[in-house]
Amino acid sequence: MKIYRLIGIITTLQQKKTVTAPYLAEKFEVSRRTISRDIEDICKAGIPLITTQGAGGGISIMEGFSLDTTVFTQQELAAIFTGLKSLDSVSHSASGENLARKIGGHPAVKVADHMIIDLASHYKEDLASKLDLLQYAIRETKCISFRYYYEKGEADKLIEPCLTVFKWSDWYVFGFCRQRQDFRMFKLRRLWDLQIAQETFSPRDIPEEKRRFGSHMTDDYIVSAVYDPCVKYRLVEEYGPTCFTLREDGKLYAKRGFTTKEQAVTWFLGFGDKVKVLAPPEMVERMKAVLDSARSLYL
């Protein structure tokens, strides 16, 4: 991708001071014309580059312009490389690794090697394919179609994709749903038969409130419960070591908020017989009904 190459050119100039266009073209495996356009873009971005002719000439950063302190510090470059490598985990390419290899032994590359971020989990193959297709559709302003599975059933969707989003430990596509005539988020693990549609679209302005993903989700349904001490690690993992109080009988008492009653039911069912819901009364009755229904499956 172009952004990787621009970062690579800047970092190469930072290391070598002066390089030739043929050298950069060979290093980044593009034409000299592409390198010329890249140099123009870097200059437009505010980094003054100069070209000198003759022996010892080439492309360099204007004397007196401090790239180290004005553009990228070592810590900033390390953050960039870490981010690029994390994207490699959900891509069929290895752009971050390739850029690090082409730049060579820059200290920032070594710092970035100290952190590993895997965004793919167990689903890299189908996830990478979906993300590649979505990035193409967004770049080319093409609609996408897919089959979506959700709590109420399943449906065929046609949307104008705007963003791919990693949030709540999962990947989503955010776009304008043609059926709903509104912006929506769709979890990638729930959408299948993803295809580029024939329809194109003009990018829409996204209202600021729509960019605040999940702002409508409030944890104001409060439920209190007691947990067996053996699941303390799960409470700590989710809410920290101060989220509960220790009762005299050794049980752990905790109150926490949920977005919906169904979310609360799912949470408590995950603890099996290691939790007892105390309040509110309707949640106690709901848990009884769900557990009776589950037991009936085994009679």
Side-chain angles (χ1 to χ4, degrees):
M1 294 177 64
K2 182 173 181 177
I3 185 62
Y4 299 162
R5 192 172 62 251
L6 295 178
I7 294 172
I9 292 172
I10 293 170
T11 308
T12 299
L13 291 171
Q14 189 178 23
Q15 289 180 285
K16 296 184 176 296
K17 305 304 180 184
T18 301
V19 296
T20 65
Y23 172 84
L24 291 174
E26 181 179 358
K27 186 179 184 69
F28 294 101
E29 300 173 358
V30 294
S31 67
R32 291 183 60 178
R33 179 174 295 181
T34 297
I35 292 297
S36 296
R37 288 196 294 264
D38 289 344
I39 296 303
E40 291 179 6
D41 290 338
I42 293 172
C43 290
K44 290 176 182 178
I47 303 174
L49 303 183
I50 59 173
T51 302
T52 55
Q53 304 296 324
I59 304 165
S60 62
I61 300 170
M62 181 180 292
E63 186 176 353
F65 184 84
S66 177
L67 184 60
D68 285 339
T69 57
T70 307
V71 182
F72 297 126
T73 64
Q74 179 174 316
Q75 185 176 6
E76 289 167 341
L77 276 173
I80 290 171
F81 284 122
T82 300
L84 293 180
K85 289 201 308 178
S86 71
L87 291 177
D88 284 350
S89 69
V90 286
S91 174
H92 286 130
S93 65
S95 301
E97 292 292 345
N98 289 340
L99 179 58
R101 174 177 53 79
K102 290 173 181 177
I103 288 175
H106 194 285
V109 177
K110 296 179 180 179
V111 174
D113 287 338
H114 297 166
M115 182 178 293
I116 297 174
I117 302 174
D118 188 347
L119 300 175
S121 186
H122 302 293
Y123 313 110
K124 178 170 182 176
E125 281 309 309
D126 66 83
L127 180 59
S129 297
K130 289 176 181 177
L131 288 171
D132 287 346
L133 188 148
L134 288 171
Q135 288 302 307
Y136 171 81
I138 293 170
R139 185 171 61 252
E140 300 297 325
T141 61
K142 291 182 177 292
C143 292
I144 57 171
S145 63
F146 52 84
R147 187 74 170 173
Y148 197 66
Y149 298 81
Y150 55 111
E151 184 179 354
K152 296 179 180 179
E154 54 192 83
D156 293 320
K157 297 291 184 180
L158 179 69
I159 74 165
E160 303 168 6
C162 302
L163 304 167
T164 52
V165 180
F166 184 77
K167 193 173 179 65
W168 306 301
S169 301
D170 226 322
W171 282 97
Y172 299 78
V173 57
F174 173 80
F176 187 83
C177 178
R178 289 284 182 89
Q179 288 95 331
R180 295 289 186 177
Q181 285 295 295
D182 197 5
F183 291 96
R184 290 287 192 273
M185 289 265 283
F186 300 92
K187 184 181 288 189
L188 296 195
R189 289 297 300 164
R190 292 185 182 177
L191 66 85
W192 294 90
D193 301 324
L194 177 62
Q195 297 179 31
I196 301 291
Q198 293 183 349
E199 294 90 336
T200 59
F201 65 92
S202 298
R204 301 172 185 264
D205 291 331
I206 304 174
E208 185 58 36
E209 65 272 14
K210 295 293 184 179
R211 289 182 176 271
R212 294 195 292 270
F213 308 121
S215 60
H216 63 288
M217 300 167 63
T218 57
D219 294 337
D220 52 6
Y221 185 70
I222 307 300
V223 182
S224 59
V226 290
Y227 300 80
D228 190 279
C230 70
V231 298
K232 179 194 292 187
Y233 73 96
R234 290 186 59 186
L235 296 175
V236 172
E237 177 184 343
E238 191 77 16
Y239 298 106
T242 61
C243 71
F244 58 83
T245 55
L246 180 63
R247 301 199 321 180
E248 291 184 0
D249 61 1
K251 300 286 188 179
L252 309 177
Y253 173 81
K255 276 187 177 182
R256 63 155 293 193
F258 298 88
T259 303
T260 65
K261 292 180 182 179
E262 290 308 313
Q263 182 197 20
V265 170
T266 300
W267 163 264
F268 291 118
L269 288 177
F271 287 90
D273 62 351
K274 306 303 180 185
V275 65
K276 180 180 180 180
V277 175
L278 301 179
E282 67 267 18
M283 178 53 61
V284 175
E285 295 304 313
R286 176 66 177 145
M287 290 299 300
K288 288 180 180 178
V290 170
L291 291 171
D292 285 342
S293 178
R295 185 179 60 176
S296 68
L297 297 175
Y298 299 93
L299 296 178

